[in-house]
């Protein structure tokens, strides 16, 4: 199977394009909105929630936010489909696990998506490959206006957009970037980064939540506050810190190459060797090696692997994607076999 | 560099030929002899020892034990040369570390060698690839007779050949085989083997002494007693137990393939991947992967690697061999680099 075939196909944010894409995998803007005259999701009765879901599905599909929008009824989706959408970052675990009528609308390339009846009535997401926060914000703002023509948002002149959780009140905006920071991890500087980001009211999380930080070296950095600042200010406050982080990461890589080039090369090539030879591999182990190989590709050590293939493998080797690819439900040991086979096929067997 | 080039070239016992060569790497017979009218080595004065060394060098070289015999003055050899000869199993650590005039005479293919002034005046060794104890004994017996025409051995009609250590008195014979037992190691049956062998008065040791057992899965099995039995009886008692051990090992491999084929394949291929991609590797780690790969080759999983190349790599990756290959003294970290490079060159880079 070639890169860009199968269910990994289509997500623009995996392409490895955009600014500083060796370190910034993707940029993302999320807007929380609620519809006036409807209670928040937690307070709605089932019938009301169903009515709102129908209304929003029509509104979103009619607003023409992106080409080829499709709507997925999450309350009718099976567990595999829900996990699959989570792995693609199109729905949250909260939406997957919730009850009642709810869904997600997804456009071409998966750049634009809208969750319906998650914590808020509307969660609009724009995600781009690379360091492209301005572009994401411009697209999100445009979608927000288009949707606003069809839906009357719950809005307070004093507070701004009203949301179910007070942390989202105001702009309802969360801006985030996904960063690959193997240099800072290897030089044991992530604690410093966490502390510095906390002071700036920025949150740092592992790619797939707790426990994955140390393995994939992928971190999501996002704003914590959405009230009391304009959207542009929030985007800018995140945006302005990224070049510094990129510089720290580049310095860490430079340090590693100057003080332990052999060790870095050894780690990179062993990871590549493992990925191309293992017959069974866990998701965790695959993430570790993929991350190490990604560093090697970005350092120019490994020349015959493309970043988009690697970005895709981070997603394709997740449990639901593997099962989609195989076309059937698989127990863990069979997934480990399928994962190893997929990786060998993609990277070329030893 | 191709197999059979460089300093690994020439040792017949690495060829992977002979009976049951997938499990029995080599067979070896050693005879301890002393010269009548000379004290044992520990009791000799330096002048006497030098006189005996000259006498024995002439005697051995004149006896025409093997084609192209050469004599190495160990007392004039540098540390690297001594370590190199130890790694090739041509001299003992005792001979390397001893004082005074001493040496080793080595014939073509390194099948026949004679240490001079080790613990005994004469230590004759015959080593063959595969399970070939009878052939080794026949060659050793022939050499013993040829040498006996030129040297009057210290012999007692009641005790047999007299030796410096009482454990060698009688026949002065030690018979041993080098076995590759990864199946028994993986199925955790080596303790049972140790106990069974002890009951038969057979000793089991790791290839390079203590501490290497667990890593290379290579074990040396030898007789403990040389008194009270004829040479043929001693050889036979070792020889008769080997087919059973081979059967145990084959059963263990069969069991592993039936109950955990994926795990074995995974281990084999990862070892192969590591060996072909590592940029720096310790001797210990190399031994582990070479052993796992050797199993994979013998199980028919890996088809493009030859057993003689692997047998050679066990030797060539040892410290002195690496330094000989590089033509200079190397510190440990440089050896680890050279070792990884050598292995990649031999097995083909990923």
């Amino acid at each position: 199977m070639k890169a860009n075939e199968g269910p990994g196909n289509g997500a623009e944010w995996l392409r490895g394009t955009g600014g500083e894409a060796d370190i910034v995998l993707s940029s993302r803007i999320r807007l929380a909105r609620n519809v006036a005259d409807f209670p928040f999701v937690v307070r709605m009765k089932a019938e009301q929630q169903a009515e709102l879901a129908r209304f929003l599905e029509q509104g979103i599909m009619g607003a023409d936010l992106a080409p080829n929008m499709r709507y997925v009824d999450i309350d009718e989706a099976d567990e595999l489909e829900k996990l699959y959408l989570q792995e693609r970052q199109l729905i949250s675990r909260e939406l997957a696990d919730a009850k009642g009528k709810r869904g997600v609308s997804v456009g071409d390339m998966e750049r634009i998506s809208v969750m319906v009846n998650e914590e808020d009535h509307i969660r609009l997401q724009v995600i781009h490959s690379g360091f492209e926060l301005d572009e994401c914000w411009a697209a999100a703002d445009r979608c927000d206006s288009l949707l606003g023509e069809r839906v009357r948002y719950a809005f307070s002149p004093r507070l701004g957009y009203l949301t179910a959780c007070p942390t989202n009140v105001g702009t309802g905006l969360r801006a985030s970037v996904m960063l690959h920071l193997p240099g800072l991890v290897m030089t044991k500087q992530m604690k410093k980064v966490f502390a510095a980001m906390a002071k700036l009211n920025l949150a740092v999380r592992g790619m797939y939540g707790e426990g994955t930080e140390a393995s994939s070296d992928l971190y999501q950095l996002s704003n914590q506050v959405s009230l009391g600042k304009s959207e542009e200010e929030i985007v800018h406050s995140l945006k302005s810190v990224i070049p510094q982080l990129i510089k720290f990461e580049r310095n860490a890589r430079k340090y590693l190459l100057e003080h332990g080039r052999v060790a870095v090369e050894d780690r990179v090539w062993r990871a590549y060797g493992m990925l191309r030879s293992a017959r069974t591999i866990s998701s965790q182990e695959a993430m570790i090696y993929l991350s190490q190989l990604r560093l090697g590709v970005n350092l120019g050590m490994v020349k015959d692997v493309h970043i988009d293939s690697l970005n895709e493998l981070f997603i394709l080797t997740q449990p639901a994607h593997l099962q989609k690819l195989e076309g059937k439900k698989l127990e863990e040991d069979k997934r480990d076999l399928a994962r190893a086979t997929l990786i060998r096929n993609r990277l070329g067997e030893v």
Side-chain angles (χ1 to χ4, degrees), chain A:
Chain A
M1 185 180 288
K2 281 177 286 181
N4 298 327
E5 277 181 21
N9 187 23
E12 188 275 342
W13 66 275
L14 293 170
R15 291 283 165 88
T17 55
E20 315 276 6
D22 57 332
I23 292 175
V24 187
L25 265 88
S26 62
S27 303
R28 180 155 67 148
I29 295 288
R30 181 268 279 160
L31 293 174
R33 296 289 183 263
N34 287 276
V35 182
D37 310 324
F38 277 83
F40 288 136
V41 175
V42 283
R43 299 243 183 133
M44 274 197 289
K45 288 183 184 139
E47 281 163 33
Q48 247 182 330
Q49 185 174 341
E51 187 197 331
L52 179 63
R54 273 194 304 277
F55 170 69
L56 283 176
E57 179 182 347
Q58 284 167 14
I60 294 162
M61 298 304 278
D64 202 24
L65 305 181
N68 299 316
M69 290 289 278
R70 66 192 174 96
Y71 187 86
V72 182
D73 270 311
I74 294 300
D75 45 292
E76 286 172 11
D78 61 19
E79 291 306 311
L80 186 57
E81 181 70 15
K82 288 191 277 189
L83 187 57
Y84 173 79
L85 292 166
Q86 277 181 66
E87 289 171 2
R88 297 188 79 69
Q89 316 234 8
L90 293 172
I91 69 170
S92 61
R93 178 187 287 199
E94 289 66 31
L95 190 76
D97 294 349
K99 298 213 178 304
K101 288 302 279 183
R102 62 203 192 282
V104 65
S105 189
V106 184
D108 253 8
M109 316 271 288
E110 302 181 6
R111 276 189 158 183
I112 290 166
S113 58
V114 190
M115 283 192 286
V116 169
N117 286 337
E118 205 244 24
E119 186 179 280
D120 296 298
H121 298 156
I122 297 166
R123 287 280 176 103
L124 171 71
Q125 169 179 284
V126 178
I127 184 165
H128 279 209
S129 178
F131 185 28
E132 306 282 333
L133 277 171
D134 286 334
E135 291 78 359
C136 289
W137 165 241
D141 194 27
R142 186 182 60 82
C143 292
D144 189 34
S145 303
L146 285 171
L147 207 51
E149 291 169 12
R150 293 166 180 266
V151 170
R152 198 158 68 85
Y153 293 138
F155 184 82
S156 144
R158 191 169 63 87
L159 294 170
Y161 293 101
L162 300 176
T163 56
C165 177
T167 56
N168 292 316
V169 167
T171 59
L173 185 145
R174 171 153 292 174
S176 63
V177 287
M178 181 86 79
L179 303 163
H180 190 225
L181 304 173
L184 291 171
V185 173
M186 273 190 234
T187 52
K188 301 192 194 308
Q189 294 184 89
M190 279 310 295
K191 265 195 181 169
K192 254 167 56 183
V193 171
F194 281 107
M197 295 304 113
K199 277 189 193 167
L200 298 167
N201 274 318
L202 297 173
V204 189
R205 293 189 194 83
M207 180 183 184
Y208 285 102
E210 299 305 311
T212 62
E213 289 96 320
S215 59
S216 70
D217 304 330
L218 290 175
Y219 293 87
Q220 194 168 288
L221 186 64
S222 60
N223 66 303
Q224 295 270 49
V225 179
S226 66
L227 181 69
K229 289 186 181 178
S230 74
E231 286 83 350
E232 286 77 8
E233 282 171 338
I234 292 171
V235 172
H236 182 76
S237 73
L238 179 65
K239 197 183 145 189
S240 63
V241 82
I242 305 297
Q244 279 179 281
L245 259 180
I246 291 172
K247 196 176 157 195
F248 283 152
E249 171 65 20
R250 293 208 197 287
N251 284 344
R253 292 179 184 187
K254 205 173 150 204
Y255 177 89
L256 283 169
L257 288 182
E258 280 168 7
H259 294 81
R261 186 173 186 101
V262 169
V264 177
E265 284 183 341
D266 187 53
R267 189 188 284 221
V268 164
W269 284 103
R270 282 174 181 236
Y272 196 22
M274 279 302 218
L275 290 167
R276 293 177 73 185
S277 55
R279 258 53 186 170
T280 172
I281 194 166
S282 71
S283 173
Q284 185 87 348
E285 204 188 355
M287 297 270 274
I288 293 171
Y289 296 137
L290 286 170
S291 169
Q292 291 169 355
L293 177 55
R294 195 179 189 280
L295 175 65
V297 171
N298 283 328
L299 290 176
M301 290 173 181
V302 178
K303 297 194 195 297
D304 55 351
V305 175
H306 291 285
I307 279 297
D308 57 347
S309 312
L310 280 183
N311 289 351
E312 264 201 341
L313 277 176
F314 274 105
I315 305 295
L316 292 180
T317 53
Q318 297 297 315
H321 275 75
L322 278 176
Q323 294 174 78
K324 278 261 190 186
L325 270 174
E326 297 282 317
K328 60 185 174 197
K329 206 166 153 41
L330 297 174
E331 297 301 314
E332 191 176 345
D333 59 334
K334 300 284 184 212
R335 289 204 302 271
D336 290 351
L337 279 173
R339 182 178 294 111
T341 304
L342 169 71
I343 295 172
R344 291 203 314 281
N345 287 344
R346 288 281 171 128
L347 295 180
E349 197 152 327
V350 163

